[in-house]
Amino acid sequence: AVIPIFPSESLLNTGSILATQEGSSIEIWRLIVAGSAGAIIGDTVLYWISRTVLRNFMSDRVAQAEKNEKVAETFAMLQHQAPMLIVFGRFVPGVRFVVGATMGLTRFPYPRFLLWDMIGGVAWAAFACISSALVSTAIGDQPLLSMVVSIVITSAILGFLYQRMRRDWEASKDAPETSEPELA
């Protein structure tokens, strides 16, 4: 997440495909643990760099941007959809970087960020490893094809989830506000 040039799922996909090869000493569960830990640590580092160094460096620009109606609406959406963005943003290279940096810049509460990031990191690592191993096992001795099929499946699932999140956000904006009775 800190250096988005080399997507980390490439390592997990490759390791998982190698784990399915006969005689391999690689174990999928260890890849999942290592991938989860790497994702959570990387996202945490990015969050804190953005919250401290980057926010201090860009404080005037951030304050000015927050006055813009579109930016304010985007920040409101981020706060409203933060758990889903943190969890599912982890699955998309580049998006995970933007989400982590934005959560730090907007000073999203770190305990909540960490909770959702842990859920997303474990889910992402497990999905990347297990799906790559399953595809590799089903396709056989064609690791490159296995990687392409895994990427296509992941992209389709994420596209569906993004459309659903966007639709829910639009519906929540258009819904009339209702006041809930307070409980004593």
Side-chain angles (χ1 to χ4, degrees):
V2 178
I3 304 172
I5 296 167
F6 187 68
S8 45
E9 58 270 339
S10 300
L11 295 172
L12 294 181
N13 289 342
T14 303
S16 298
I17 291 167
L18 291 173
T20 63
Q21 305 300 308
E22 194 170 323
S24 175
S25 62
I26 300 172
E27 296 178 43
I28 294 289
W29 73 270
R30 290 180 187 212
L31 286 172
I32 294 170
V33 169
S36 300
I40 295 163
I41 291 167
D43 290 347
T44 295
V45 168
L46 177 62
Y47 173 93
W48 284 108
I49 288 171
S50 298
R51 184 169 175 149
T52 56
V53 176
L54 193 57
R55 174 109 184 164
N56 290 339
F57 179 70
M58 298 177 60
S59 61
D60 293 337
R61 288 184 180 175
V62 171
Q64 185 178 10
E66 288 174 333
K67 294 176 185 176
N68 180 304
E69 184 180 327
K70 294 281 186 190
V71 172
E73 184 179 324
T74 301
F75 281 177
M77 184 193 80
L78 287 172
Q79 295 298 316
H80 180 73
Q81 298 289 339
M84 184 176 274
L85 286 170
I86 294 167
V87 171
F88 294 112
R90 162 104 307 264
F91 286 76
V92 185
V95 172
R96 72 180 68 126
F97 179 85
V98 171
V99 169
T102 303
M103 292 300 152
L105 279 172
T106 61
R107 295 191 175 164
F108 187 78
Y110 180 69
R112 286 190 63 212
F113 174 81
L114 182 60
L115 169 69
W116 292 110
D117 191 53
M118 289 170 64
I119 292 168
V122 171
W124 166 80
F127 177 81
C129 292
I130 293 168
S131 65
S132 294
L134 290 174
V135 168
S136 178
T137 301
I139 291 177
D141 234 5
Q142 298 181 32
L144 185 57
L145 181 60
S146 297
M147 289 178 69
V148 170
V149 171
S150 295
I151 290 168
V152 169
I153 291 170
T154 302
S155 298
I157 291 170
L158 291 173
F160 169 77
L161 291 172
Y162 172 77
Q163 290 300 326
R164 184 176 176 149
M165 179 184 73
R166 189 73 182 152
R167 186 187 67 223
D168 290 349
W169 168 248
E170 291 297 327
S172 73
K173 284 187 349 186
D174 296 338
E177 290 188 32
T178 59
S179 58
E180 300 278 330
E182 290 186 31
L183 300 175

